Structure formats: C-alpha cells, structure tokens
Amino acid sequence: MEIPKKLTVSASPHLHCGENTRTLMLDVLLALAPAAVMSVILFGWRCLLLMAISVAACVGFEYGARRVLGRPNSLGDLSAVVTGLLLAFNLPANLPWWMPVIGAFVAIVIVKQFFGGIGQNFVNPALVGRIVLLVSFPDAMAPAEWPLPLPYIAGVDTVTAASPLAALANGTAPSLQEMFTTATAYDPLSMLLGLRPGSLGETCAAALLLGGLYLCIRRTISPVIPLVFMGTTAAVTWACGQNPLFHLLAGGLMLGAIFMATDYTTCPINFKGKILYAFGCGLLTALIRLFGNMPEGVSVAIVLMNILVPHIERITTPKPFGYVKPKKEKGAAQ
Amino acid sequence: MKRAYGKELTKGFLRENPVLRLCLGTCPTLAITTSVLAGVGMGLAATVVLICSNVVISLLRKVIPQKVRIPAYITIIAGFVTIVQMIVQAYLPAINDALGIYLPLIVVNCIILGRAEAFASKNPVLLSAVDGVGMGLGFTMALAVMGAIREILGAGTFLGIQLLDRPMLIFIMAPGGFFVFGMLIAAANAVAKRLGRKPAQKAGCAGCPAAGACNGCEQAGGDAV
C-alpha cells in the first residue's frame, strides 16, 4: 500500500500566511529604522556605537544564557535584536560604552531568560534594563545637561542643555500658545523632527510616528494602545493646566506608547483589556510627570502596568455566547 | 554524643541556614546588608542574644508554663537585647549608628524566637548553646556575604576600601537587596542539594512511576535482556 505523494495527510491548518516571530520582529526593526537613522543624524556616530554594542550584547547574552540553561538556540527569532535596539533607544548619546552591556544583561538574562525566554517575560525587558541603569547610574542616565542634537552644525563638539521635561519642571517650558506664536527652542516643528535633547530614539517624533503607522498598516500592532496611552497622558496633563502637545512630544512618550507598551507578551489580549491597560499607562505617566520625583515616568508606568496585565486579563475575559452566570444560592434564585 | 554537638553546630551554616534556607529574619537581612561591617555587626549582635536566650530558655524550659511561653521567651530575649544594645552603644558607636533601629528590633527577630520555640524549649542547656552558636554564625555568614556583594557592587567599596569607580547604586537600594537575597537563596539551595545528594540507589519497580505501564517487565525478564 503506497500512498501517492500528492496526497499528503496532515493536521490543520493547511494554509499558512507565512508570518512568524521572525517576520514580526523584522517588521518592528523596519519600523524602528527611521528613528535609528534620525538618532545618528541628530547625535552623531556615537549613537551607532551604542546601538551596535547594545544589540551585540543582547544577542550575545541571549545565545549564552540559552546555552548555559540548556535550552534550544533562539537567536533566529530576532527578538534579542529588537530588545537591544529598544534598549539603546532609551539611552543618552553620551553614555559610557559599557553601560548598555549591563542593561543588556539585565534585560536578556534576568528579565527574559530567567523567566523562560521569549513570550514568558512578565515585564518589558528593554524597559527594565533602562530602569536598572537609571537607578544605578542616575548621573549618567538622567544628567542635568543632555547633549544637544546636531552638534557638528553648531560647530561645538559638546553643547548641552536640560531635557524638555526638566525644563517643564523648572517652569521654562512654553505654553500651548507660545509653542506656535513665539520664538522658542520647543516649537512644534523642531520637536517633531527631534531637534531637542533626549535619549537616542525618543526625540524624533516624526520618525516614531512613521514607524508606528507602518506597524499599524502591517497589523503588527493595534493602534488602540498607542492612541489611548498618548490620549490619556495628553488629556490628564491638559486637565491639570499644562501644555498637552508639549507632553506628547517631550520625553519618551511616543517611543514608549508605540514600541514598548505594545509588546505582545506584556500587554492584554482583548480590546477592553488593551484600553484599560493603555489608560493606566497614560494616567501613571501623567501623574508621575506632574507630581512625581522624576521628570519622566513612561518607563515606570509601562512596567507597572505590565505587572498588572494578568489581573486586567482576568477582569476583561470575554463571556462565551449564551453564558449564564451561575447562581450563588439556590434558595435565593427561586 | 560528640557527633550530635557537631551536627547541631554545623546545621545552621548551610543545611538549615536561618536566612537562606529557613527564610527567617529577612527584615534585618534586607535592611542592614548595605555594607559588610553592618552585616557582620548585626550578625554577631544577634548571635550573642541567640546564645544567651537559648541557654536561659533551655534552663527554664521546665518552669515556664506552656500557655505563657511566648511572652516569657520575649521577655528573656528583650532583656539580652537591651544588654547587647547598651554594650554596643558604649563601646562600638559606629556599629550602633550603622544598625540604628534594627539593633533593638533583634527582640522580634524570628530566628531567635524560632530557635527558642523549636529547639531550646525541648533540649538540654549545652546542646541549646551549641545550636545558638551554629545558627548565629550561619546568620552572620549570610549577612556578611550579602553585605559584601551589595557593598562592592552598590557602593564600590569593601570595608571602606575603594574598589569600583562607578558602582551600581541599585545594589544598596531595596530592589538590589531583594535581588541579591534571591540569588543567594538559589545558590544555597543548589549547594545544599548537591551536598545532600544520596548515592544512587538501585531503583526497583516499587519506586518507579512507570511500573504500572510496563507491567513489571524488569522483574519478569529484566535480567535476560
């Protein structure tokens, strides 16, 4: 009994769109590319070095940790490359070169591989890497004086200024009206192009929006989380009498809302859950920015909401069609 | 008899280490171990209290009524803590400053009450003293190791000697404390598992989970194969 070769017997699914973790991660990398290019244009070649070190360290730790723990090699899914790039995006351009290596160790080994690798981490690895670096080296990660973009045009090698959110805390930030009418360092166009001090990948809002648009069109991410996240932050800051546009364009809100909060592993599955999660992220970000000790709160807000995701999932589990809630007491129901 | 003393002495070092294996006294462990000196000071202060309270409670174990034993133990422990605190204040003011509120809080350290309840109230005086020495030294060693890791990585110093230029501040903060604590517990468990591993026994069908499925084929024809 010979089975003809054309009659392959297999279990469903029989059609596959060809999408897998690697193609998804490639899409994310492609979406991050504009911001990466802009960071090199804005802050110089050192960004390239930091990104290369961060990515190489993440890939190396991913390989080494899987090897030591006796698990199959997972470099092919490219998730370590994405983590490395996102980590680098969260660092200031003048950071000592060895600090990303520590951040990569925390992100990949402690947050990701200790908990079982891709899909098992309970918080965003790149963000925890950033937070550990921020808490450990506050003078390097959150300096009072950030490098200004385009130093080679200004002709001076190191020109520094306070970050926009620090300016906001000092009360030197413009109001919504002043942003459009008066000559200020923070006019909407230069904020959109990223001509302001900040971390590598967070400054150029236009590039981040472009990447986010690409991910939404490719349906890699749903636009719900970024929109609700940014909307909530803008609404809360506006309600508290601050400039909502400035809050949207300053700090790492765009980067966090588009690329960090939408990580599959650490965000809820349902539509309702996504809204709740993104609302929490936005609210916490606004509250930390308005009343907190630190000028910026996006990373902490996302990590806190990451931890709450299992509980959000529990309260937003959809009811099956025709589901009847079981009655608690038999006597009372009659 | 001699072996029993040795066993009671060494069990606190690793096998029943109060902090790393029994998870007692975690509050001072996390709060104090930002430096080696504070860790060792805390450990030794607790050791002195532990030995003295173990001895006295063991002596009084037939006198203290069952129903009021906890208040009685606490009173004895508090007495010794007060003595130790006064001595430290008088002769080691630096350590007193480093330990702060955690020195008087040795009164409520669960290691001391735990040994009183679990050991000293049931065992003779000398054995209880040896138990106190072992447990106290185990506690001191755990605090010293943890303090050393946190001081070197978090402050860049060891006993005040500068080692690192750019220390990772997170290690002397609470998250770093929890992280180092967790890593040490994992390491202690791994070492204890290795030490405690018994020589491989010949597994019979009785202990095999698949015995039901294979219908005892080892007994039937195992030797022949």
Side-chain angles (χ1 to χ4, degrees), chain A residues 232-264:
Chain A
T232 309
T233 304
V236 173
T237 50
W238 184 64
C240 291
Q242 296 219 355
N243 179 350
L245 188 63
F246 191 83
H247 272 284
L248 279 179
L249 294 171
L253 182 57
M254 295 256 175
L255 179 64
I258 296 172
F259 292 100
M260 308 285 222
T262 52
D263 173 24
Y264 289 149

mmCIF file of all heavy atoms in Angstrom, chain A residues 232-264:
data_model
loop_
_atom_site.group_PDB
_atom_site.id
_atom_site.type_symbol
_atom_site.label_atom_id
_atom_site.label_comp_id
_atom_site.label_asym_id
_atom_site.label_seq_id
_atom_site.Cartn_x
_atom_site.Cartn_y
_atom_site.Cartn_z
ATOM 1 N N THR A 232 -4.572 59.625 26.863
ATOM 2 C CA THR A 232 -4.790 59.785 28.305
ATOM 3 C C THR A 232 -3.774 60.751 28.898
ATOM 4 O O THR A 232 -4.130 61.655 29.670
ATOM 5 C CB THR A 232 -4.674 58.424 29.015
ATOM 6 O OG1 THR A 232 -5.508 57.499 28.348
ATOM 7 C CG2 THR A 232 -5.079 58.531 30.452
ATOM 8 N N THR A 233 -2.500 60.570 28.522
ATOM 9 C CA THR A 233 -1.473 61.469 29.065
ATOM 10 C C THR A 233 -1.779 62.917 28.679
ATOM 11 O O THR A 233 -1.728 63.822 29.522
ATOM 12 C CB THR A 233 -0.085 61.068 28.539
ATOM 13 O OG1 THR A 233 0.145 59.708 28.868
ATOM 14 C CG2 THR A 233 0.998 61.915 29.167
ATOM 15 N N ALA A 234 -2.125 63.114 27.392
ATOM 16 C CA ALA A 234 -2.416 64.480 26.942
ATOM 17 C C ALA A 234 -3.619 65.034 27.693
ATOM 18 O O ALA A 234 -3.598 66.175 28.166
ATOM 19 C CB ALA A 234 -2.674 64.485 25.434
ATOM 20 N N ALA A 235 -4.667 64.218 27.838
ATOM 21 C CA ALA A 235 -5.896 64.705 28.479
ATOM 22 C C ALA A 235 -5.644 65.043 29.945
ATOM 23 O O ALA A 235 -6.079 66.102 30.424
ATOM 24 C CB ALA A 235 -6.988 63.645 28.364
ATOM 25 N N VAL A 236 -4.938 64.170 30.650
ATOM 26 C CA VAL A 236 -4.725 64.417 32.085
ATOM 27 C C VAL A 236 -3.841 65.651 32.288
ATOM 28 O O VAL A 236 -4.121 66.504 33.127
ATOM 29 C CB VAL A 236 -4.116 63.180 32.769
ATOM 30 C CG1 VAL A 236 -3.743 63.485 34.210
ATOM 31 C CG2 VAL A 236 -5.087 62.014 32.721
ATOM 32 N N THR A 237 -2.773 65.768 31.481
ATOM 33 C CA THR A 237 -1.901 66.931 31.660
ATOM 34 C C THR A 237 -2.640 68.219 31.286
ATOM 35 O O THR A 237 -2.461 69.254 31.922
ATOM 36 C CB THR A 237 -0.632 66.806 30.809
ATOM 37 O OG1 THR A 237 -0.993 66.482 29.471
ATOM 38 C CG2 THR A 237 0.286 65.744 31.356
ATOM 39 N N TRP A 238 -3.496 68.105 30.257
ATOM 40 C CA TRP A 238 -4.263 69.289 29.851
ATOM 41 C C TRP A 238 -5.248 69.671 30.946
ATOM 42 O O TRP A 238 -5.419 70.849 31.269
ATOM 43 C CB TRP A 238 -4.994 68.989 28.537
ATOM 44 C CG TRP A 238 -5.721 70.168 27.983
ATOM 45 C CD1 TRP A 238 -5.180 71.337 27.550
ATOM 46 C CD2 TRP A 238 -7.133 70.286 27.813
ATOM 47 N NE1 TRP A 238 -6.160 72.178 27.108
ATOM 48 C CE2 TRP A 238 -7.386 71.555 27.260
ATOM 49 C CE3 TRP A 238 -8.209 69.435 28.061
ATOM 50 C CZ2 TRP A 238 -8.662 71.992 26.954
ATOM 51 C CZ3 TRP A 238 -9.496 69.869 27.753
ATOM 52 C CH2 TRP A 238 -9.707 71.149 27.212
ATOM 53 N N ALA A 239 -5.898 68.664 31.533
ATOM 54 C CA ALA A 239 -6.860 68.937 32.599
ATOM 55 C C ALA A 239 -6.166 69.563 33.802
ATOM 56 O O ALA A 239 -6.787 70.306 34.555
ATOM 57 C CB ALA A 239 -7.563 67.646 33.016
ATOM 58 N N CYS A 240 -4.887 69.264 33.983
ATOM 59 C CA CYS A 240 -4.156 69.848 35.104
ATOM 60 C C CYS A 240 -3.507 71.174 34.722
ATOM 61 O O CYS A 240 -2.591 71.647 35.408
ATOM 62 C CB CYS A 240 -3.098 68.881 35.624
ATOM 63 S SG CYS A 240 -3.819 67.460 36.434
ATOM 64 N N GLY A 241 -3.915 71.727 33.589
ATOM 65 C CA GLY A 241 -3.474 73.061 33.225
ATOM 66 C C GLY A 241 -2.105 73.125 32.598
ATOM 67 O O GLY A 241 -1.464 74.172 32.594
ATOM 68 N N GLN A 242 -1.611 71.978 32.046
ATOM 69 C CA GLN A 242 -0.314 72.022 31.383
ATOM 70 C C GLN A 242 -0.493 71.891 29.880
ATOM 71 O O GLN A 242 -1.589 71.645 29.387
ATOM 72 C CB GLN A 242 0.570 70.897 31.923
ATOM 73 C CG GLN A 242 0.872 71.086 33.395
ATOM 74 C CD GLN A 242 2.281 70.716 33.749
ATOM 75 O OE1 GLN A 242 3.037 70.235 32.933
ATOM 76 N NE2 GLN A 242 2.650 70.942 34.989
ATOM 77 N N ASN A 243 0.631 72.016 29.179
ATOM 78 C CA ASN A 243 0.611 72.017 27.722
ATOM 79 C C ASN A 243 0.580 70.569 27.213
ATOM 80 O O ASN A 243 1.586 69.873 27.294
ATOM 81 C CB ASN A 243 1.877 72.742 27.252
ATOM 82 C CG ASN A 243 1.975 72.796 25.757
ATOM 83 O OD1 ASN A 243 1.218 72.145 25.058
ATOM 84 N ND2 ASN A 243 2.917 73.586 25.284
ATOM 85 N N PRO A 244 -0.566 70.100 26.686
ATOM 86 C CA PRO A 244 -0.647 68.684 26.297
ATOM 87 C C PRO A 244 0.253 68.336 25.119
ATOM 88 O O PRO A 244 0.830 67.244 25.071
ATOM 89 C CB PRO A 244 -2.124 68.494 25.941
ATOM 90 C CG PRO A 244 -2.645 69.852 25.667
ATOM 91 C CD PRO A 244 -1.832 70.811 26.470
ATOM 92 N N LEU A 245 0.405 69.246 24.160
ATOM 93 C CA LEU A 245 1.246 68.970 22.997
ATOM 94 C C LEU A 245 2.702 68.799 23.421
ATOM 95 O O LEU A 245 3.410 67.904 22.941
ATOM 96 C CB LEU A 245 1.116 70.115 21.987
ATOM 97 C CG LEU A 245 1.797 69.873 20.639
ATOM 98 C CD1 LEU A 245 1.149 68.699 19.931
ATOM 99 C CD2 LEU A 245 1.742 71.113 19.765
ATOM 100 N N PHE A 246 3.127 69.635 24.342
ATOM 101 C CA PHE A 246 4.498 69.527 24.853
ATOM 102 C C PHE A 246 4.706 68.182 25.535
ATOM 103 O O PHE A 246 5.707 67.508 25.321
ATOM 104 C CB PHE A 246 4.750 70.677 25.846
ATOM 105 C CG PHE A 246 6.181 70.821 26.242
ATOM 106 C CD1 PHE A 246 7.061 71.515 25.431
ATOM 107 C CD2 PHE A 246 6.650 70.266 27.419
ATOM 108 C CE1 PHE A 246 8.385 71.654 25.794
ATOM 109 C CE2 PHE A 246 7.972 70.397 27.783
ATOM 110 C CZ PHE A 246 8.840 71.086 26.972
ATOM 111 N N HIS A 247 3.706 67.766 26.306
ATOM 112 C CA HIS A 247 3.811 66.475 26.992
ATOM 113 C C HIS A 247 3.869 65.324 25.995
ATOM 114 O O HIS A 247 4.535 64.319 26.224
ATOM 115 C CB HIS A 247 2.641 66.287 27.951
ATOM 116 C CG HIS A 247 2.901 66.841 29.313
ATOM 117 N ND1 HIS A 247 3.704 66.206 30.216
ATOM 118 C CD2 HIS A 247 2.484 67.986 29.910
ATOM 119 C CE1 HIS A 247 3.767 66.926 31.324
ATOM 120 N NE2 HIS A 247 3.046 68.013 31.162
ATOM 121 N N LEU A 248 3.143 65.461 24.858
ATOM 122 C CA LEU A 248 3.154 64.396 23.853
ATOM 123 C C LEU A 248 4.521 64.296 23.189
ATOM 124 O O LEU A 248 5.011 63.198 22.916
ATOM 125 C CB LEU A 248 2.104 64.675 22.779
ATOM 126 C CG LEU A 248 0.669 64.292 23.103
ATOM 127 C CD1 LEU A 248 -0.225 64.654 21.948
ATOM 128 C CD2 LEU A 248 0.566 62.806 23.390
ATOM 129 N N LEU A 249 5.130 65.436 22.916
ATOM 130 C CA LEU A 249 6.357 65.445 22.122
ATOM 131 C C LEU A 249 7.612 65.349 22.982
ATOM 132 O O LEU A 249 8.673 65.011 22.481
ATOM 133 C CB LEU A 249 6.419 66.723 21.277
ATOM 134 C CG LEU A 249 5.342 66.821 20.188
ATOM 135 C CD1 LEU A 249 5.340 68.201 19.557
ATOM 136 C CD2 LEU A 249 5.531 65.764 19.141
ATOM 137 N N ALA A 250 7.501 65.655 24.267
ATOM 138 C CA ALA A 250 8.690 65.602 25.130
ATOM 139 C C ALA A 250 8.839 64.216 25.746
ATOM 140 O O ALA A 250 7.891 63.433 25.779
ATOM 141 C CB ALA A 250 8.569 66.657 26.229
ATOM 142 N N GLY A 251 10.034 63.936 26.212
ATOM 143 C CA GLY A 251 10.264 62.668 26.901
ATOM 144 C C GLY A 251 10.108 61.472 25.982
ATOM 145 O O GLY A 251 10.173 61.583 24.762
ATOM 146 N N GLY A 252 9.876 60.319 26.574
ATOM 147 C CA GLY A 252 9.829 59.091 25.781
ATOM 148 C C GLY A 252 8.432 58.591 25.531
ATOM 149 O O GLY A 252 8.238 57.393 25.304
ATOM 150 N N LEU A 253 7.435 59.495 25.549
ATOM 151 C CA LEU A 253 6.051 59.030 25.451
ATOM 152 C C LEU A 253 5.774 58.298 24.136
ATOM 153 O O LEU A 253 5.196 57.208 24.135
ATOM 154 C CB LEU A 253 5.104 60.216 25.619
ATOM 155 C CG LEU A 253 3.621 59.874 25.579
ATOM 156 C CD1 LEU A 253 3.276 58.844 26.623
ATOM 157 C CD2 LEU A 253 2.770 61.106 25.785
ATOM 158 N N MET A 254 6.208 58.901 23.007
ATOM 159 C CA MET A 254 5.940 58.283 21.699
ATOM 160 C C MET A 254 6.622 56.918 21.616
ATOM 161 O O MET A 254 6.004 55.922 21.241
ATOM 162 C CB MET A 254 6.487 59.168 20.586
ATOM 163 C CG MET A 254 5.795 60.480 20.493
ATOM 164 S SD MET A 254 4.677 60.492 19.114
ATOM 165 C CE MET A 254 3.899 62.073 19.326
ATOM 166 N N LEU A 255 7.905 56.893 21.944
ATOM 167 C CA LEU A 255 8.658 55.635 21.892
ATOM 168 C C LEU A 255 7.996 54.582 22.779
ATOM 169 O O LEU A 255 7.761 53.442 22.352
ATOM 170 C CB LEU A 255 10.095 55.896 22.359
ATOM 171 C CG LEU A 255 11.035 54.699 22.401
ATOM 172 C CD1 LEU A 255 11.258 54.147 21.018
ATOM 173 C CD2 LEU A 255 12.359 55.081 23.031
ATOM 174 N N GLY A 256 7.641 54.975 23.994
ATOM 175 C CA GLY A 256 7.038 54.024 24.921
ATOM 176 C C GLY A 256 5.679 53.556 24.445
ATOM 177 O O GLY A 256 5.382 52.357 24.469
ATOM 178 N N ALA A 257 4.845 54.498 24.003
ATOM 179 C CA ALA A 257 3.478 54.139 23.639
ATOM 180 C C ALA A 257 3.436 53.278 22.383
ATOM 181 O O ALA A 257 2.640 52.348 22.288
ATOM 182 C CB ALA A 257 2.650 55.400 23.441
ATOM 183 N N ILE A 258 4.300 53.578 21.416
ATOM 184 C CA ILE A 258 4.220 52.855 20.141
ATOM 185 C C ILE A 258 4.978 51.538 20.209
ATOM 186 O O ILE A 258 4.476 50.509 19.752
ATOM 187 C CB ILE A 258 4.761 53.737 18.996
ATOM 188 C CG1 ILE A 258 3.877 54.975 18.826
ATOM 189 C CG2 ILE A 258 4.809 52.941 17.695
ATOM 190 C CD1 ILE A 258 4.423 55.992 17.873
ATOM 191 N N PHE A 259 6.182 51.545 20.780
ATOM 192 C CA PHE A 259 7.031 50.359 20.654
ATOM 193 C C PHE A 259 7.159 49.540 21.938
ATOM 194 O O PHE A 259 7.452 48.361 21.882
ATOM 195 C CB PHE A 259 8.430 50.766 20.185
ATOM 196 C CG PHE A 259 8.445 51.287 18.777
ATOM 197 C CD1 PHE A 259 8.476 52.633 18.520
ATOM 198 C CD2 PHE A 259 8.400 50.408 17.707
ATOM 199 C CE1 PHE A 259 8.475 53.110 17.223
ATOM 200 C CE2 PHE A 259 8.394 50.874 16.412
ATOM 201 C CZ PHE A 259 8.437 52.221 16.170
ATOM 202 N N MET A 260 6.997 50.168 23.097
ATOM 203 C CA MET A 260 7.241 49.436 24.338
ATOM 204 C C MET A 260 5.952 48.876 24.935
ATOM 205 O O MET A 260 5.901 47.722 25.349
ATOM 206 C CB MET A 260 7.886 50.358 25.372
ATOM 207 C CG MET A 260 9.100 51.061 24.860
ATOM 208 S SD MET A 260 10.481 49.947 24.777
ATOM 209 C CE MET A 260 11.732 51.001 25.391
ATOM 210 N N ALA A 261 4.925 49.699 24.997
ATOM 211 C CA ALA A 261 3.687 49.246 25.645
ATOM 212 C C ALA A 261 2.985 48.191 24.802
ATOM 213 O O ALA A 261 2.143 47.455 25.308
ATOM 214 C CB ALA A 261 2.762 50.440 25.875
ATOM 215 N N THR A 262 3.315 48.099 23.502
ATOM 216 C CA THR A 262 2.599 47.183 22.618
ATOM 217 C C THR A 262 3.272 45.818 22.513
ATOM 218 O O THR A 262 2.839 44.999 21.708
ATOM 219 C CB THR A 262 2.510 47.787 21.211
ATOM 220 O OG1 THR A 262 3.819 48.167 20.811
ATOM 221 C CG2 THR A 262 1.613 48.986 21.183
ATOM 222 N N ASP A 263 4.303 45.590 23.312
ATOM 223 C CA ASP A 263 4.966 44.277 23.321
ATOM 224 C C ASP A 263 3.921 43.180 23.571
ATOM 225 O O ASP A 263 3.167 43.236 24.526
ATOM 226 C CB ASP A 263 6.035 44.288 24.430
ATOM 227 C CG ASP A 263 6.667 42.930 24.625
ATOM 228 O OD1 ASP A 263 6.643 42.140 23.673
ATOM 229 O OD2 ASP A 263 7.175 42.677 25.726
ATOM 230 N N TYR A 264 3.874 42.183 22.678
ATOM 231 C CA TYR A 264 2.818 41.154 22.753
ATOM 232 C C TYR A 264 2.754 40.461 24.098
ATOM 233 O O TYR A 264 1.687 40.198 24.640
ATOM 234 C CB TYR A 264 3.060 40.071 21.691
ATOM 235 C CG TYR A 264 2.812 40.519 20.281
ATOM 236 C CD1 TYR A 264 3.528 39.991 19.227
ATOM 237 C CD2 TYR A 264 1.831 41.460 20.012
ATOM 238 C CE1 TYR A 264 3.292 40.392 17.933
ATOM 239 C CE2 TYR A 264 1.587 41.878 18.728
ATOM 240 C CZ TYR A 264 2.322 41.340 17.677
ATOM 241 O OH TYR A 264 2.081 41.740 16.415
#
